Amino acid sequence: MSPLDDKQASARNASGNGIRTDLKLIAEMVEPGSRVLDVGCGDGALLAFLSRQKGVDARGIELSMDGVHQCVAQGLSVIQGDAETDLKDYPPGAFDYVILSQTLQAMREPRTVLETMTRIGRRAIVSVPNFGYWRIRVQLLLTGRMPVTEKLGYQWWETPNIHFCTIKDFVVLAEEMGIRIERCMIVDRAGRVTGHAHSGLANLLGEQGVFLLRRD
């Protein structure tokens, strides 16, 4: 389950389709009829949306049994498993898209997870909270304490997030791994898409980034 899902009711938003802003942006990147694996699919909100709206072959892997039960209750094909150990069992190119939303920072080995995602999927879609966001910088500067925001809604001692990164950090990692960023949407606090990944302002003003990736 995404670290956002088990902490906040904002895993769903009240607008239109009832899913988070980043999930709607991810859905826009997915071609109809594709084979999709949602890693850490939580309650299945994105999978259900993609299945209903785009007719995808929707599959998921979720660590929490509660999340698995919620997905299965909706008729979704979801298995219980740990992404860090179980993704390696899928063959190369098994999916058109492998999705990981707001969870990479909670992985013990995020680089390995990205490597595996781009091996088993023709494309990967990743959304990450931006630790370089200006509100986080201001909180740290003024209070001298680890920031707590809507997207990073945990105290330091209880957080599942163990590898904080900025948008710039993620871009640099992708480049070092030979992973091409085909598309990127930087999202501000109001849910508006603004800037591009290589913009310094994006790293300052973007609360999160949504990346469409492909192995060169």
Side-chain angles (χ1 to χ4, degrees):
M1 178 179 286
S2 162
L4 292 182
D5 292 334
D6 64 0
K7 181 72 173 182
Q8 301 174 22
S10 61
R12 294 176 180 271
N13 66 39
S15 64
N17 297 313
I19 58 175
R20 294 193 322 243
T21 298
D22 65 306
L23 298 186
K24 288 189 287 185
L25 296 176
I26 288 170
E28 291 176 8
M29 295 178 172
V30 175
E31 292 293 326
S34 301
R35 297 165 299 159
V36 174
L37 176 67
D38 188 2
V39 179
C41 57
D43 63 4
L46 176 60
L47 282 179
F49 179 83
L50 287 171
S51 180
R52 184 173 62 249
Q53 299 293 330
K54 295 205 166 184
V56 305
D57 179 1
R59 311 205 174 236
I61 180 171
E62 168 58 34
L63 184 61
S64 159
M65 279 307 302
D66 182 57
V68 173
H69 291 153
Q70 291 182 66
C71 292
V72 171
Q74 300 177 72
L76 298 171
S77 179
V78 173
I79 62 171
Q80 194 276 334
D82 185 340
E84 300 211 64
T85 57
D86 298 334
L87 288 184
K88 61 180 175 49
D89 296 330
Y90 290 100
F95 302 95
D96 296 311
Y97 300 90
V98 179
I99 297 169
L100 184 68
S101 60
Q102 299 289 322
T103 308
L104 187 66
Q105 72 280 358
M107 297 293 181
R108 293 184 299 273
E109 299 288 343
R111 184 179 179 122
T112 301
V113 171
L114 278 177
E115 186 76 41
T116 306
M117 289 176 64
T118 55
R119 177 183 66 82
I120 68 175
R122 292 177 53 246
R123 289 180 174 84
I125 303 176
V126 177
S127 67
V128 294
N130 176 27
F131 203 68
Y133 180 50
W134 74 268
R135 288 180 180 271
I136 291 177
R137 301 188 195 198
V138 169
Q139 278 193 41
L140 190 57
L141 176 65
L142 296 182
T143 69
R145 299 182 60 189
M146 286 298 291
V148 176
T149 68
E150 182 179 346
K151 293 294 182 290
L152 296 169
Y154 295 87
Q155 296 292 336
W156 67 270
W157 47 267
E158 63 174 347
T159 180
N161 301 314
I162 57 178
H163 290 293
F164 292 111
C165 75
T166 68
I167 288 170
K168 187 174 183 179
D169 285 327
F170 185 86
V171 170
V172 169
L173 177 61
E175 291 173 348
E176 290 178 350
M177 295 178 65
I179 296 173
R180 178 154 49 98
I181 299 175
E182 289 193 335
R183 188 178 176 191
C184 173
M185 290 183 280
I186 306 301
V187 186
D188 67 13
R189 193 183 189 198
R192 297 171 300 209
V193 177
T194 178
H196 57 83
H198 292 86
S199 165
L201 285 178
N203 201 45
L204 181 65
L205 301 179
E207 191 173 24
Q208 59 183 310
V210 183
F211 299 87
L212 177 64
L213 309 171
R214 185 170 186 170
R215 172 70 64 185
D216 285 333

